[in-house]
Amino acid sequence: MDPTKDQKLWMYENMVLSRRFEERIEKIYLEGKTPAFNMADGPIPGEMHLSNGQEPVAVGVCAHLTAEDAVTATHRPHHQAIAKGVDLKAMAAEIFGKATGLSGGRGGHMHLFDPSVNFACAGIIAQGCGPACGTALSRKLQGKPGVAVSFLGEGAANQGAFHEAMNLAALWKLPVIFVIEDNAWGISVAKSDATSVPRNDVRAAGYGIPGHYIEGNDPYAIFDVAGQAIARARAGEGPTLIEVETYRLAGHFMGDAEQYRPKGEKEALFARDPIPAMRARLIADGDATEKDLDRIEARAAETVDEAIQFARDSALAPETDALTAVFATQ
Amino acid sequence: MLDTQTNERRLTIARAMAEAIQQEMQADERVFVMGEDIGALGGVFGNTRGLVDEFGRERVRDTPISETAFISAAVGAAMDGMRPVVELMFVDFFGVCFDAIYNLMAKNTYFSGGNCAVPMVLMTSTGGGYSDAGQHSQCLYGTFAHLPGMKVVSPSNAYDAKGLMTAAMRDDSPVVYMFHKGLQGMGWLGTEEGAIVDTPETGYTVEIGKARVVREGKDVTLVGLAMGVHNALKAADKLAEEGVSAEVVDLVSLVPLDRETVLNSVAKTGRLIVVDEDYHSYGVSGEIIASVCEHDVSKLKAAPKRVTYPDVPIPYARHMEQFCLPNPDKIVAAYKAM
């Protein structure tokens, strides 16, 4: 399944949008945190998990989704949220803990919920696998269209929740796609030190469903395999497991000294940064001109500027909002 | 079953729960049931009996033994517009799936700023007394009630069981519905006659968060829930023989907790004994006593007492378990020691 020119440009724009957004977040995150780094200080407190480098997975998959399809994302969710169409202003404001944020500051960057595009997050490893099955089951029971994609990291493939959900999805033939972003590191532990098999796609066999491994962090290859899996799910043929080789250009979280990385690894990863690579490919393939891509990049930068400005300008919610929304209002 | 002499329709809690679910499934297509052995078997404790015959295996689905998967799936389905009723067969099994319960089910409403409701019922069995040892006999009321984001109810009789279940299925927040095995009317788990009461066929709700004075008295307030209510009522009979008038409060719900009904009763009697089959420390009994003391300690004529399960895992041997469990005699003794 090959992306059309429009799909390619959509993927590129969303990759750039995610990268520009995270570049801004990265800078602002350090405000108030120097010279002494205290996670609680500055306009963006708390943990910050950046996804730069992993953008191809989010766009390659989400290019096939519409708002009615569901995504459960991970603790590293920005690229997935952006590709799924979560409102960037409300998301930025949530990261700033503002009243205009997706949940008025109650969730933060690991707990982004946007029901208008069926996007949910979870801060605990493999936690989204079960809910994705539930959304898929709900569609089946209601006779409504839509598939559910559960994103997870390669470390999450060793969680019981992942395996239980794979069995459930296969058993009930649910329209779910499990997408593992293999960025090679679970915080500081290498995949080879944590996982009994080199590639998690083989684990699909244990549940009688198709499994695929995609090398090279290649957005077109991801688009191809994800497209087939999603079409299969839409046709009622059940779940698929996909693992994608990708790269985490940043640390696990901001403040991570990354001393566990072998010498030279980061430099090598930056040399394979998927965004310049895709830019060159779009031009080489005649899908876009330098000018087209400059325009896309400028538009992305502008969208990010607006979102950040909106977040900065927004007011904090009253402290007493902490005491509300524990239960649904009937 | 209809008692032709009294014209009462006396149901067990198990049948009352099943009837509530049946009627709600007839009325609301969004309601479906998931859990282990809830289909053909009708639930190990009888509370889904007959449902699969009427509604089929799509809406009454037996699950794999994967509590994390199906409880978190229920969260996803609830957030997508369904109203799942899921069963955690024994509350003790929470150890394999508590992430789905308290990190997902209980928190997604808050994390979404109230934009995503999680309307689901998690029903689970509690309680011992039949020598099933320490992984199949706990109550854990305090454990669940302690964590914000979940409503928690526990009926002591069939009338409340039906009305609470209907209310739980109609609630837009997650409700943990804790039913005591000894009150199910299953026979093989013993039968508590006091739990089998007149239960109207027509659907109705019992308000979540409202306690009930089930016996009026003036000398001492006995507060309990589920099996504790029956122990308290039996203790009240014994105390009455000695000329002591005990008031019995059935909490019915733990979250929200109806402190007002307890406070009003204690204001009247001046004495408080809490009966709780859950562990002694850090639980419901401590919460009730703290609530009364915080509100107005001068209302108390004596230091409050609690009759609870000691802080030990639940033993298998019958004589040892019975030694640990609350019973009417212990409540009477607690009163005499005041």
Side-chain angles (χ1 to χ4, degrees):
Chain A
M1 198 178 279
D2 294 323
T4 63
K5 187 180 135 189
D6 282 351
Q7 285 168 324
K8 287 177 188 171
L9 294 178
W10 180 91
M11 289 196 282
Y12 183 71
E13 179 155 5
N14 277 276
M15 283 170 60
V16 171
L17 190 60
S18 181
R19 183 67 63 88
R20 295 290 167 270
F21 182 71
E22 290 207 330
E23 284 167 354
R24 292 295 302 278
I25 293 288
E26 191 173 6
K27 279 207 183 75
I28 299 164
Y29 184 77
L30 292 172
E31 288 177 20
K33 291 189 180 72
T34 47
F37 181 84
N38 180 336
M39 197 172 271
D41 287 338
I44 303 177
E47 280 187 76
M48 178 51 62
H49 311 85
L50 298 176
S51 63
N52 50 2
Q54 302 184 193
E55 299 92 344
V57 192
V59 299
V61 173
C62 293
H64 300 281
L65 304 180
T66 66
E68 75 182 5
D69 297 310
V71 161
T72 59
T74 68
H75 61 290
R76 193 182 305 288
H78 299 157
H79 58 321
Q80 298 156 354
I82 286 168
K84 188 61 178 64
V86 171
D87 182 75
L88 197 64
K89 286 182 179 172
M91 175 172 149
E94 184 60 30
I95 293 169
F96 278 72
K98 298 293 182 72
T100 52
L102 288 167
S103 68
R106 294 177 188 80
H109 113 108
M110 283 188 277
H111 308 287
L112 305 169
F113 287 80
D114 187 349
S116 69
V117 293
N118 287 294
F119 182 88
C121 258
I124 291 175
I125 299 307
Q127 208 178 34
C129 299
C133 292
T135 306
L137 174 63
S138 164
R139 300 302 169 89
K140 224 178 147 180
L141 289 173
Q142 295 184 76
K144 283 189 184 166
V147 301
V149 174
S150 176
F151 285 104
L152 56 151
E154 91 289 339
N158 299 319
Q159 275 279 29
F162 166 66
H163 291 275
E164 287 191 21
M166 290 256 285
N167 180 61
L168 201 73
L171 180 73
W172 290 348
K173 256 189 151 178
L174 299 174
V176 181
I177 301 92
F178 300 98
V179 179
I180 300 174
E181 297 189 354
D182 172 15
N183 69 16
W185 293 99
I187 305 186
S188 67
V189 178
K191 185 184 189 187
S192 56
D193 289 333
T195 306
S196 61
V197 288
R199 294 180 172 188
N200 281 302
D201 59 323
V202 301
R203 288 174 157 176
Y207 303 98
I209 64 171
H212 305 278
Y213 190 89
I214 305 166
E215 291 178 82
N217 208 18
D218 173 356
Y220 296 0
I222 298 163
F223 178 94
D224 173 27
V225 174
Q228 293 178 44
I230 290 165
R232 192 172 172 275
R234 291 200 201 283
E237 290 166 28
T240 301
L241 172 65
I242 300 169
E243 183 168 48
V244 184
E245 181 192 14
T246 189
Y247 325 119
R248 191 184 79 198
L249 294 175
H252 165 67
F253 54 35
M254 287 199 63
D256 179 357
E258 299 181 74
Q259 283 166 342
Y260 48 84
R261 297 233 204 214
K263 260 206 165 75
E265 179 179 278
K266 271 200 95 159
E267 295 71 17
L269 292 182
F270 274 102
R272 289 188 287 164
D273 185 331
I275 291 180
M278 186 166 181
R279 187 185 162 99
R281 193 166 168 187
L282 285 166
I283 292 165
D285 291 351
D287 288 316
T289 63
E290 295 267 1
K291 236 183 184 169
D292 294 336
L293 299 180
D294 289 347
R295 210 164 29 237
I296 283 176
E297 285 162 20
R299 191 162 63 204
E302 198 180 319
T303 306
V304 169
D305 285 345
E306 282 170 15
I308 297 290
Q309 200 56 49
F310 173 78
R312 283 210 193 260
D313 292 346
S314 292
L316 291 167
E319 292 153 332
T320 48
D321 269 16
L323 306 178
T324 63
V326 179
F327 293 106
T329 43
Q330 305 240 205
Chain B
M1 68 198 85
L2 196 68
D3 185 328
T4 47
Q5 284 189 327
T6 60
N7 208 24
E8 282 189 346
R9 191 169 164 276
R10 289 160 52 79
L11 296 191
T12 62
I13 287 185
R15 290 202 41 197
M17 288 172 70
E19 187 170 275
I21 298 169
Q22 176 198 23
Q23 291 176 350
E24 200 63 11
M25 287 183 77
Q26 288 167 347
D28 188 345
E29 290 213 325
R30 299 171 299 173
V31 178
F32 72 104
V33 189
M34 281 197 287
E36 293 154 8
D37 303 288
I38 56 92
L41 190 67
V44 171
F45 305 110
N47 40 299
T48 55
R49 195 157 290 173
L51 297 179
V52 75
D53 300 328
E54 182 172 347
F55 301 105
R57 294 178 61 182
E58 282 289 300
R59 288 182 74 195
V60 182
R61 34 181 77 221
D62 277 324
T63 62
I65 304 169
S66 306
E67 288 87 353
T68 291
F70 72 76
I71 294 173
S72 58
V75 174
M79 289 170 65
D80 197 53
M82 298 297 284
R83 292 189 167 259
V85 177
V86 285
E87 177 160 291
L88 176 62
M89 188 188 288
F90 289 79
V91 74
D92 315 66
F93 301 172
F94 84 124
V96 298
C97 58
F98 218 33
D99 188 54
I101 296 169
Y102 95 105
N103 271 326
L104 282 175
M105 184 183 89
K107 290 180 184 164
N108 276 3
T109 302
Y110 188 78
F111 281 157
S112 67
N115 293 322
C116 299
V118 188
M120 61 183 279
V121 182
L122 177 70
M123 55 183 178
T124 186
S125 75
T126 64
Y130 61 103
S131 290
D132 215 2
Q135 293 179 345
H136 294 77
S137 300
Q138 298 172 97
C139 287
L140 303 179
Y141 301 128
T143 305
F144 281 78
H146 179 63
L147 297 160
M150 309 179 271
K151 296 186 178 179
V152 180
V153 301
S154 191
S156 69
N157 62 69
Y159 179 89
D160 285 351
K162 181 173 174 181
L164 283 173
M165 179 55 82
T166 304
M169 289 182 288
R170 292 181 187 172
D171 204 294
D172 285 343
S173 296
V175 179
V176 181
Y177 185 106
M178 307 180 90
F179 58 93
H180 194 290
K181 281 164 265 169
L183 301 180
Q184 284 296 87
M186 296 294 284
W188 56 276
L189 286 166
T191 299
E192 171 52 63
E193 284 297 332
I196 303 171
V197 299
D198 188 21
T199 305
E201 186 167 6
T202 312
Y204 60 92
T205 58
V206 166
E207 187 182 346
I208 294 172
K210 194 91 192 90
R212 185 182 295 122
V213 176
V214 291
R215 176 180 174 132
E216 299 225 10
K218 57 181 175 43
D219 298 325
V220 59
T221 298
L222 309 179
V223 174
L225 76 156
M227 186 61 94
V229 174
H230 299 285
N231 281 323
L233 286 168
K234 286 169 194 160
D237 282 342
K238 287 178 185 246
L239 288 167
E241 288 167 17
E242 300 181 32
V244 177
S245 161
E247 179 147 303
V248 178
V249 175
D250 182 345
L251 288 174
V252 185
S253 298
L254 292 176
V255 180
L257 179 60
D258 180 3
R259 293 181 170 89
E260 199 183 336
T261 296
V262 175
L263 295 173
N264 289 342
S265 178
V266 174
K268 186 167 76 170
T269 64
R271 289 184 177 82
L272 170 65
I273 299 173
V274 186
V275 185
D276 184 12
E277 194 184 316
D278 198 2
Y279 302 119
H280 181 81
S281 300
Y282 305 102
V284 173
S285 61
E287 183 59 37
I288 297 293
I289 290 171
S291 297
V292 168
C293 293
E294 270 176 342
H295 177 71
D296 184 358
V297 78
S298 72
K299 291 285 190 296
L300 290 167
K301 296 174 190 159
K305 295 269 184 195
R306 39 185 166 167
V307 178
T308 57
Y309 202 94
D311 292 324
V312 295
I314 297 169
Y316 158 69
R318 183 163 173 79
H319 68 295
M320 288 199 286
E321 186 189 12
Q322 295 299 323
F323 169 76
C324 291
L325 281 167
N327 62 39
D329 289 339
K330 288 184 184 178
I331 300 168
V332 172
Y335 175 76
K336 289 183 175 167
M338 281 182 126

